[in-house]
Amino acid sequence: MSTHLARRILVAVAAASVAVALSGCGASAGSAATGVWGDPGAARTPSLELHEDRSLSGTDGCNRLVSTWKMSGDRIEFGPLASTLMACEGVDTWLGSATAATIDGSTMTLTDQGGKKIGTLERQPTSSPS
């Protein structure tokens, strides 16, 4: 094997290793966000579920919400939230104006387009298989 070919193989292996390492970092950052936030079983309360495929679903306590999400550093950015348009008296639908969030432990803090904190959701425990 020539020295030139050996160097090319070494560079290719190194590049592949870096790509694998970086993709693992992204997956772990996203994994910290995936799951259920808020209590979807509680009536008239907001909740979100961030799925591994970067889609999200949930409720603002009245309307169903769907969108996408992505990690940007330590911040979660939401795509435009699509919502049903039901009228529910006495329900604060603040979650529908969320554009981003951060996570500290088991608390997700959500912000609006201006960066103002609009609310928090607590992570729900994951259920273990029976």
Side-chain angles (χ1 to χ4, degrees):
M1 180 182 301
S2 73
T3 305
H4 180 68
L5 180 58
R7 283 187 187 154
R8 289 181 66 180
I9 292 172
L10 182 60
V11 168
V13 168
S17 298
V18 169
V20 168
L22 289 176
S23 69
C25 290
S28 63
S31 296
T34 58
V36 177
W37 299 88
D39 184 357
R44 304 172 68 89
T45 62
S47 66
L48 285 178
E49 183 170 0
L50 277 61
H51 307 279
E52 288 183 24
D53 68 357
R54 300 300 191 254
S55 65
L56 73 80
S57 57
T59 179
D60 62 10
C62 175
N63 295 289
R64 301 295 310 155
L65 304 171
V66 294
S67 188
T68 58
W69 65 277
K70 68 178 182 176
M71 292 299 299
S72 182
D74 64 348
R75 181 178 145 116
I76 304 163
E77 294 180 353
F78 302 126
L81 290 169
S83 172
T84 57
L85 298 174
M86 297 176 8
C88 298
E89 286 189 39
V91 175
D92 183 355
T93 58
W94 61 268
L95 185 56
S97 62
T99 59
T102 55
I103 297 172
D104 184 12
S106 62
T107 302
M108 176 185 283
T109 300
L110 296 108
T111 56
D112 64 13
Q113 189 169 7
K116 178 183 170 197
K117 176 183 169 182
I118 57 173
T120 59
L121 296 172
E122 295 298 315
R123 180 186 293 277
Q124 294 297 300
T126 58
S127 58
S128 55
S130 332

